[in-house]
Amino acid sequence: MSDREAAQRTAVIAEAKTWLRTPFRDCADVKGAGVDCAMLLVRCFVDTGVVPPLDPRPYSPQWLLHRDEEKFLDIISKLGAEVLRPPVPGDVIVYRVGRCFAHGAIVIDAAHVIHAYKQEEQVAISPMHDIRLSQLNDGRPRPRKIFDCWANKTVGSRQ
């Protein structure tokens, strides 16, 4: 990892922490007033200059309950590339919720993520292996994917 990438990863995590306690609001992106998990990721990566500006809205907050279309993965793929390795700070981790991958968080260290979490009703730091994140209701492991915003050569062009 280059010094520049390490500094950008640190900046993304620092930006995410400035959103702590912002209320969970579907499709919102106003610090202190409301944000959802997708827009928290967009704001943190766009506002730190890691990815070019993008706005995936409008999207229905309930799409994951009624469709198999991977809309959330479409959003995340604009931020970075999926990687097959353990997550490192600054990576995005996405979890399957309902029928699709529909919840995302920023890895802040080897054991924690920061995310706009509907169950907490706000942006919060949670253990990465919190049972609500890591397991399905029947106890099986929840499917997840790791995305690296520095792995895709076309991403991060504003470096």
Side-chain angles (χ1 to χ4, degrees), residues 8-19 44 48 108 114:
Q8 287 179 324
R9 286 176 178 272
T10 299
V12 166
I13 293 166
E15 175 62 22
K17 288 180 177 179
T18 69
W19 288 79
C44 291
T48 56
I108 60 172
I114 187 167

Side-chain angles (χ1 to χ4, degrees), residues 20 34 52 79 85 94 112 114 151:
L20 282 170
L79 298 176
R85 60 159 170 71
V94 294
H112 297 90
I114 187 167

Side-chain angles (χ1 to χ4, degrees), residues 125-146:
I125 294 174
S126 298
M128 192 181 310
H129 300 294
D130 180 319
I131 196 165
R132 297 174 296 175
L133 294 172
S134 65
Q135 290 186 6
L136 298 169
N137 290 338
D138 63 7
R140 289 180 296 139
R142 182 178 303 280
R144 70 181 197 179
K145 294 178 182 268
I146 308 299

Side-chain angles (χ1 to χ4, degrees), residues 11 13 43 59-60 77 83 95 101-102 107 109 112 129 136 140:
I13 293 166
R43 289 278 48 92
Y59 50 85
S60 167
S77 68
V83 292
Y95 298 93
F101 286 90
V107 177
D109 61 36
H112 297 90
H129 300 294
L136 298 169
R140 289 180 296 139

